[in-house]
Structures are given as structure tokens and as C-alpha cells.
Amino acid sequence: MLEVQNIKKIYKSRFGGNEVEALKSINFTVESGEYIAIMGESGSGKTTLLNLLALLDRPTSGNVFLKGKNLSEIKDSEMAKFRRENLGFVFQDFNLLDTFTVKENILLPLVLADEKISVMEEKLLKIVKKLNIEELLNKYPYEISGGQKQRVAIARALITKPKIILADEPTGALDSNSTKELLKVFKNLNQDGQTILMVTHSILAASEAKRVLFIKDGKIYHQIYSGDRSSMDMQKKIADTMQMLQRN
């Protein structure tokens, strides 16, 4: 599904002086149907990596392939269309438009793609039922809870049937109950075959993934597969690895 080959990202200061190597030769693959969490301390490079995968930035060197297509070959003028057709985004702060209803927010990607109204309505109905948000469609984002906003954001991400969901700290703005509910949603989506790549600081959130990648100083430092481990066992393993990251 996704292949990351020797990705490097170097940022230069505004006046061309200092250079910061945010990512140093990152290599990994994501299989179709995987659910992967990416963890690391602040400044480790995980958000930079997500931005590159989301085509919000370009790598200094290296390549990213999605279903065999080299993302570096996509022209700037074609990026928005490619993102809309292949990638779904879920953000910590939801990124919903307060002047649009929930229904309008969810349908926005299809409107931009000039989809037929009958097709939009059909796709909408399936997704809102799956996420149990039918009763919210005529409300505005400022009228609903954080957990409900994130479900709406997930519905918007799913409406185009993306090849992969990219989630940036999706539980970061949620309380503990809403976090648990959201993680159930992600788990169910993954069980239905949706590929998910999530950047998170949350040990609880990461413990629900099938694989956890740890980034340190711009490199893949370690990875853990959930296998037959329970959620509690995964949480302990992740916590131990995070402590090791801080010591080394």
C-alpha cells in the first residue's frame, strides 16, 4: 500500500544559515489493512513525516510510493485532487468549518470533486450510520461535543473511500471517554479493511494499533507488533520503549 524509501528532510533557516535535519533516511512499508501508530518525543520528526506522506511538504531526498505511484512525481497543480481521491485526514483540532452544517462538512470533499447529489446522499447515509451520527447532520460544529466533532471529521475523511487514513493526534483534544469511543471507531474501521496511519503521543491510542513505530532524532528507532498481546500488555511495552527512547 505505502512504501517509504530513504526519506530525508532538511530545513534551512530563513536566511540560509543553519540547517536542521528533521528526518534521516526513513524506511518502512505499510501493508493494505494495517493499523500503525507512530510515536516519539516532541521534535523527533513524526509530524514532519506525516506532512510528507500527506503531500503537505516535499522531502529533501527519497521517495514515497502509494499503490506504486511515486508521490514526488505529482505536480503541485495536481496535489489537491490526488489528496482528495486517495488520502483521508483526521486532525487533533478537527478542522471543521463552523459556518457549515455537519452534513455540509462531511460532503465537502465530494462537492469539490463535483460528485452527483444522488451519489453524495447515498455515500453520506452509509457513513453516518456506521459512525452513529445521523442525528447530528443539521447541527453546526459549535453545537456538538469534541467526540462528536471527531466522528464528523472521520466521516469526512471516509466519504471519498481513501486508500489510507492519516491521523495526527486524533485523541489529543478529547476527554478519556471520548478517546475510548474514538479508538473503538478506528478499530472497527480497521477491521472493515481500512488502512490507518496515526501519529500520537497517547500510549492508550497507540496500544490499539497493530504495529507501533518509534522515531528518535529523525530515524526509525524501534517497532512493536501487537500480535497476541492484550491492550494492557501493549501499553506496558510502549511505555517501556518510550522510557528507553528518553534514556538513550
Side-chain angles (χ1 to χ4, degrees):
M1 170 69 77
L2 184 73
E3 186 175 358
V4 179
Q5 295 181 348
N6 299 314
I7 285 293
K8 294 184 180 181
K9 181 62 181 178
I10 298 173
Y11 291 104
K12 294 184 179 181
S13 64
R14 186 174 180 181
F15 300 105
N18 296 332
E19 291 187 349
V20 176
E21 195 172 17
L23 295 176
K24 307 171 183 177
S25 192
I26 296 283
N27 292 274
F28 68 95
T29 58
V30 179
E31 300 298 326
S32 180
E34 272 204 283
Y35 180 2
I36 296 176
I38 298 176
M39 299 193 77
E41 297 178 281
S42 296
S44 62
K46 58 188 185 301
T47 299
T48 298
L49 174 60
L50 196 69
N51 287 339
L52 296 179
L53 300 181
L55 289 177
L56 299 174
D57 199 357
R58 297 274 198 182
T60 304
S61 63
N63 294 290
V64 178
F65 295 88
L66 181 64
K67 284 281 189 177
K69 184 174 182 62
N70 190 338
L71 302 192
S72 65
E73 296 176 355
I74 299 174
K75 297 177 182 177
D76 290 348
S77 59
E78 299 171 349
M79 276 189 177
K81 183 175 185 290
F82 182 86
R83 281 195 294 263
R84 189 166 61 242
E85 293 177 351
N86 295 278
L87 308 173
F89 301 95
V90 181
F91 302 96
Q92 177 176 336
D93 56 0
F94 319 122
N95 281 17
L96 300 176
L97 300 174
D98 274 339
T99 54
F100 283 19
T101 64
V102 163
K103 179 179 179 179
E104 290 166 340
N105 268 284
I106 295 171
L107 289 176
L108 184 57
L110 298 184
V111 173
L112 294 173
D114 201 24
E115 190 72 84
K116 292 181 179 179
I117 292 176
S118 58
V119 175
M120 288 196 287
E121 292 288 349
E122 183 181 347
K123 290 181 177 179
L124 177 73
L125 186 61
K126 289 180 181 178
I127 287 175
V128 297
K129 281 187 174 181
K130 180 181 288 188
L131 296 176
N132 194 27
I133 53 174
E134 301 105 307
E135 75 283 359
L136 303 179
L137 289 179
N138 294 319
K139 293 183 179 292
Y140 288 86
Y142 56 80
E143 297 178 311
I144 62 180
S145 70
Q148 290 171 329
K149 287 179 183 177
Q150 200 59 294
R151 283 175 181 257
V152 173
I154 292 170
R156 181 186 58 192
L158 290 172
I159 197 87
T160 57
K161 295 185 177 179
K163 292 181 175 64
I164 186 167
I165 292 287
L166 300 175
D168 188 7
E169 299 287 359
T171 63
L174 304 181
D175 60 34
S176 58
N177 288 332
S178 296
T179 291
K180 290 176 183 177
E181 289 301 313
L182 179 71
L183 294 177
K184 285 181 185 177
V185 170
F186 271 21
K187 185 174 183 178
N188 290 338
L189 291 174
N190 180 245
Q191 287 175 343
D192 288 342
Q194 179 64 58
T195 308
I196 301 172
L197 186 65
M198 170 180 63
V199 164
T200 183
H201 279 101
S202 168
I203 291 175
L204 174 62
S207 70
E208 296 297 320
K210 293 179 179 177
R211 177 160 55 120
V212 184
L213 296 177
F214 297 88
I215 294 184
K216 180 179 174 64
D217 298 330
K219 296 181 179 180
I220 300 291
Y221 176 83
H222 188 55
Q223 64 179 340
I224 299 172
Y225 287 87
S226 62
D228 296 327
R229 291 189 179 95
S230 67
S231 179
M232 289 299 294
D233 286 342
M234 273 296 284
Q235 288 180 51
K236 184 178 185 307
K237 191 76 173 175
I238 292 167
D240 289 345
T241 303
M242 289 300 293
Q243 287 183 351
M244 186 169 58
L245 280 178
Q246 292 167 1
R247 287 197 300 266
N248 295 342

